[in-house]
Amino acid sequence: MFNTESYTLIAALFPRLLGLIYFFAFVPFLFQIKGLIGNKGILPLSDYFGALKERYPYKCYLYAPSLFWLAQSNGMLMTITALGALFSLGLMLGIYPSLLLFLVYIFYLSIVSAGQDFLSFGWEGFLLEITAYAFLLSLTPVPNLWVWICINLLLFRFHFQAGAVKLQSHDSTWADFTALAYHYQTQPIPNTQAWYVHKFPLWFHKLSAGLMFAIELIVPFALFGTDGMRAVVFVLFFGLQFFIWITGNFSYLNHLTAIFSTILLSNYFLDSWISPPSTLSSPLWLEVVLSFIGIFFVGMQLIRLSHHFFPNHLFKKCLYWFSYFHLVNPYGIFAVMTTKRHEIIVEGSYDGVDWKEYSFPYKPSSVTRRPKRISPYQPRLDWQVWFLPFTNFYAERWFQHFLFHLLKGTPDVLKLLDENPFSGAPPAFIRVVLYDYVFSSFKEKKEEGRWWTRSYMGIYSPTISLKTPES
């Protein structure tokens, strides 16, 4: 991996591949951002930035670095999102890659900093961190050695920490390799294949967990080896992400990780497919600057890796200032496996007697609706709702705002739903109930058309109304 001249082809192609991911990241917001953080959205951006500025008048721009400080109108939200999508198309076409990598980073960071609860997922920071290093990589035709080490170290760290957190959590299902027997049913938004794979015997799930641990904890060390070893690592990383994608809906994470893994492919494996890039040498001053930056971030990544296993105050203080720009991020997903699937169901009523269910686009609701494949698209509201059963209703401010908008009949928020049973006029009452969902059996699906079986658990929220008792 240290012979960077062997990786000029993938270094030239990589920005184009990232452009595809950014297209997946920006375009969904064209249909969701107004309902999520718009002027009449669930968590209005103007309120959030106003509160930040009032509490931190001088540090607010650091705590939320964003172009939206210029304006928080719906027009600004849509403009930044549309321009981001346009820049991603230009990146895919190979137009000024260094400039466009810088711009998509700034524009997506602006959305992430403004997104509040709806943009708190690990893949947002993962994409931004990769982009920062890809920008440095794009400045020279032959990858700078220290920048190259840095971006490879990130790929190592992402996989190794993903496996480590599962062991460090002392979760019993990961310890006995049974976690995947629950995962396909309890993941945020299952798809059709998850229903079928969930039916596989326990030995298959245990074997799958064992292979996953091997790929996450052992295989990453081989990426520091020969070109041939790195190619094998690519196949295994890609295979893991493909299987996760086949059986789940994790936004653009699997696509991003698979594309990121292509940096493992040397010219030997690509020269018959890709035209060679320019071989012009880089200015000495640029190489010196990039080496300094690369060495610095290699050091910061080693600090982050050390902090993961040996946390201390000094490491935390060193990493603190990078968190707002989503650089040198912590990684690890599904450290503790969820073994039960509890779903909230929102119901409305005109009279408090006859209740009708609101339908979300993709999360389990109707037991006869087939789980769909939607990734790399991410329905942010559906995802956020998945977390609710783990918390108390009164602790979820965003969800209380969401219910308020249902009572008001706010159009931008209603567009985030699949079906509004109160199209004529908003309901007078809203309540939220809790159900336990499990995948149906083959017999139930064949005879009754059910993909799910659900059982009532109780009330999640009190009945809410905009009317005062006297009215």
Side-chain angles (χ1 to χ4, degrees):
M1 69 161 282
F2 297 106
N3 180 16
T4 58
E5 291 184 358
S6 298
Y7 292 90
T8 54
L9 294 178
I10 192 57
L13 177 63
F14 191 57
R16 293 192 177 202
L17 298 176
L18 274 185
L20 178 64
I21 299 301
Y22 269 107
F23 185 78
F24 295 151
F26 279 113
V27 169
F29 286 114
L30 294 173
F31 311 101
Q32 301 182 60
I33 198 164
K34 289 196 293 185
L36 297 175
I37 60 172
N39 294 343
K40 295 184 178 180
I42 299 170
L43 294 175
L45 179 56
S46 56
D47 292 351
Y48 175 54
F49 274 13
L52 272 180
K53 195 164 188 177
E54 181 178 350
R55 185 169 182 180
Y56 308 105
Y58 303 110
K59 292 185 177 181
C60 59
Y61 306 109
L62 171 65
Y63 292 162
S66 177
L67 295 173
F68 292 123
W69 284 108
L70 300 173
Q72 295 94 49
S73 65
N74 282 354
M76 186 65 167
L77 291 174
M78 296 302 290
T79 298
I80 293 294
T81 303
L83 285 175
L86 185 64
F87 294 155
S88 68
L89 288 173
L91 199 53
M92 280 190 279
L93 295 173
I95 301 171
Y96 299 112
S98 298
L99 173 62
L100 290 184
L101 281 170
F102 176 77
L103 290 174
V104 293
Y105 173 86
I106 294 298
F107 278 54
Y108 199 59
L109 176 64
S110 296
I111 293 176
V112 171
S113 298
Q116 303 162 78
D117 298 71
F118 302 111
L119 279 107
S120 57
F121 302 100
W123 44 83
E124 330 284 8
F126 190 37
L127 175 56
L128 289 168
E129 186 171 359
I130 292 171
T131 307
Y133 301 143
F135 167 74
L136 298 175
L137 204 64
S138 71
L139 296 175
T140 56
V142 177
N144 175 272
L145 175 61
W146 285 103
V147 172
W148 185 244
I149 292 172
C150 186
I151 198 169
N152 278 269
L153 185 56
L154 173 59
L155 182 61
F156 169 86
R157 194 164 60 83
F158 175 79
H159 285 87
F160 188 71
Q161 288 182 252
V165 294
K166 297 176 178 68
L167 298 180
Q168 291 173 301
S169 69
H170 303 293
D171 179 71
S172 61
T173 65
W174 286 120
D176 64 12
F177 285 41
T178 61
L180 297 183
Y182 304 99
H183 164 72
Y184 303 109
Q185 178 176 269
T186 62
Q187 63 182 304
I189 303 181
N191 60 23
T192 305
Q193 286 70 33
W195 188 93
Y196 288 99
V197 175
H198 179 72
K199 302 291 191 290
F200 285 12
L202 184 60
W203 67 261
F204 174 85
H205 299 307
K206 287 189 172 185
L207 177 61
S208 299
L211 290 172
M212 180 214 65
F213 275 124
I215 293 172
E216 290 184 341
L217 292 173
I218 300 173
V219 170
F221 288 94
L223 69 80
F224 300 109
T226 64
D227 291 353
M229 293 170 65
R230 285 165 61 83
V232 173
V233 175
F234 166 75
V235 171
L236 294 173
F237 281 179
F238 188 92
L240 175 62
Q241 296 307 317
F242 179 77
F243 187 75
I244 297 172
W245 171 76
I246 280 289
T247 57
N249 288 301
F250 292 97
S251 186
Y252 55 75
L253 176 61
N254 307 130
H255 305 73
L256 173 61
T257 308
I259 282 176
F260 189 25
S261 299
T262 62
I263 66 170
L264 297 168
L265 298 174
S266 70
N267 294 354
Y268 176 81
F269 300 99
L270 298 175
D271 59 3
S272 60
W273 303 91
I274 304 173
S275 301
S278 169
T279 56
L280 295 175
S281 59
S282 305
L284 178 61
W285 68 266
L286 180 58
E287 290 290 350
V288 171
V289 171
L290 289 177
S291 295
F292 177 81
I293 296 172
I295 291 171
F296 175 79
F297 276 106
V298 165
M300 293 308 301
Q301 287 206 59
L302 292 174
I303 288 175
R304 171 60 77 183
L305 191 61
S306 300
H307 185 58
H308 180 94
F309 296 100
F310 309 104
N312 66 68
H313 181 70
L314 179 60
F315 288 166
K316 184 178 181 180
K317 191 174 182 180
C318 289
L319 295 164
Y320 173 78
W321 298 105
F322 295 93
S323 61
Y324 300 111
F325 299 93
H326 297 275
L327 301 174
V328 201
N329 303 300
Y331 293 109
I333 190 171
F334 286 112
V336 176
M337 182 54 64
T338 306
T339 58
K340 298 287 185 180
R341 179 173 206 99
H342 297 160
E343 288 284 349
I344 63 98
I345 300 296
V346 180
E347 298 178 333
S349 174
Y350 287 122
D351 56 11
V353 177
D354 182 28
W355 296 90
K356 297 179 182 179
E357 291 185 14
Y358 284 89
S359 177
F360 290 77
Y362 303 106
K363 88 172 192 68
S365 51
S366 170
V367 295
T368 59
R369 188 172 69 180
R370 178 178 64 86
K372 300 175 183 178
R373 175 179 306 287
I374 57 171
S375 67
Y377 181 82
Q378 183 180 0
R380 299 279 170 165
L381 179 61
D382 292 57
W383 259 86
Q384 207 60 37
V385 165
W386 181 79
F387 295 97
L388 289 175
F390 305 114
T391 62
N392 184 282
F393 167 75
Y394 296 100
E396 296 295 338
R397 185 177 65 92
W398 76 264
F399 188 57
Q400 296 166 25
H401 287 200
F402 169 68
L403 298 182
F404 170 79
H405 283 291
L406 295 185
L407 289 168
K408 294 284 289 183
T410 306
D412 286 341
V413 174
L414 291 173
K415 288 177 182 177
L416 299 174
L417 297 171
D418 181 47
E419 182 181 348
N420 173 21
F422 302 95
S423 56
F429 304 95
I430 287 284
R431 71 179 184 186
V432 184
V433 294
L434 198 62
Y435 282 87
D436 179 72
Y437 274 66
V438 296
F439 278 143
S440 63
S441 65
F442 282 108
K443 182 179 179 181
E444 289 169 328
K445 185 171 79 69
K446 181 178 180 180
E447 295 180 356
E448 304 172 35
R450 286 195 283 135
W451 292 87
W452 297 95
T453 296
R454 74 181 190 181
S455 54
Y456 178 78
M457 294 182 63
I459 297 295
Y460 179 77
S461 81
T463 300
I464 302 168
S465 176
L466 296 181
K467 297 181 178 180
T468 61
E470 291 77 11
S471 61

